[in-house]
Amino acid sequence: GLFVIAVHQALVLASGLAPSDLWGVALLRFAFGVAAAMPPIWLGFSLSFGEKNGGLRRSHCYPILPCAALVAFAASIPLVLGRGVQLISTGRTGHVVVGLDGWGKLLFSVYLLGLLLVLLHLENLYRYAAPPVRHKLTTLIVGICVALACQIVATSYTLLFGLIHPSYFLVSAVGFLGGQVMIAFALVRHRLLDSSIYVSRYVIYRSLTLALVGGYLLSLGVVAE
């Protein structure tokens, strides 16, 4: 999961250093295609992390990952065909910005829902973890949430206006960097990869994540309108 984030950020940086706008957009398409793999990978991490000694042994977990991976793959196919992210000329000034077409909005919508699903599962993992290990999870869960929440903010803005604002990349980079520092600290400090975390049945309808993200998106839409 951390490797995919690093590849995504490297491609974003390369797009900014590209010798031409066309090369920059091509690299951005590649970067967003890599980003589409983040939700399934982090969902797989949270599912396996919630099992004793790792691994996916709960029968109800098996359909989730293949479906999430298939949806992410299908949504990113237009990027390979040169769709999704386009150069757009804005009005009389002729200033060129990077915008989304219909396929791009679909991809970002799927990406946003995927991030929400990961946060939803991580919240329930933390909520129903056994008390002896719950305090060990705090830094890890917060780190992942910081990284993905910044993506939700940047993605929602892009979907709202159909343009990729330059601050999108700054918000993403800061969120990912801060989140990865917290994740690394938690894994090393508490040796979480060697811990067994027992989780009771998840109660998704009591999720705080849905309330917070839903309220944020609703407020964003009202303010924009």
Side-chain angles (χ1 to χ4, degrees), residues 35-212:
M38 289 185 200
I41 288 176
W42 283 102
L43 182 61
F45 169 77
S46 64
L47 288 172
S48 62
F49 195 64
E51 300 289 346
K52 181 180 180 181
N53 299 323
L56 295 172
R57 284 180 289 277
R58 293 185 179 178
S59 59
H60 69 271
C61 292
Y62 287 108
I64 298 178
L65 280 179
C67 291
L70 181 61
V71 170
F73 175 76
S76 60
I77 288 178
L79 294 173
V80 181
L81 304 177
R83 302 292 301 276
V85 180
Q86 305 289 346
L87 290 174
I88 300 176
S89 179
T90 57
R92 301 175 181 176
T93 61
H95 182 61
V96 177
V97 296
V98 180
L100 303 179
D101 57 17
W103 288 108
K105 293 179 180 179
L106 176 61
L107 171 63
F108 272 66
S109 298
V110 171
Y111 182 57
L112 182 64
L113 291 175
L115 296 177
L116 176 59
L117 181 61
V118 175
L119 293 180
L120 181 64
H121 190 274
L122 286 174
E123 180 199 344
N124 283 273
L125 174 67
Y126 178 80
R127 185 193 295 267
Y128 299 109
V133 295
R134 183 177 298 170
H135 71 282
K136 296 181 181 180
L137 290 176
T138 302
T139 306
L140 175 71
I141 299 298
V142 171
I144 299 176
C145 288
V146 166
L148 300 188
C150 288
Q151 280 291 287
I152 288 178
V153 171
T155 302
S156 62
Y157 182 94
T158 302
L159 280 171
L160 186 64
F161 296 103
L163 300 174
I164 301 178
H165 195 275
S167 62
Y168 176 100
F169 307 111
L170 177 61
V171 171
S172 298
V174 171
F176 281 142
L177 180 61
Q180 289 187 54
V181 169
M182 299 179 72
I183 293 169
F185 174 81
L187 294 178
V188 174
R189 175 67 177 82
H190 298 296
R191 298 180 180 177
L192 291 178
L193 296 182
D194 297 325
S195 300
S196 295
I197 299 175
Y198 301 92
V199 186
S200 63
R201 296 183 63 184
Y202 301 147
V203 186
I204 295 179
Y205 56 83
R206 294 177 55 187
S207 173
L208 180 63
T209 299
L210 289 177
L212 291 177

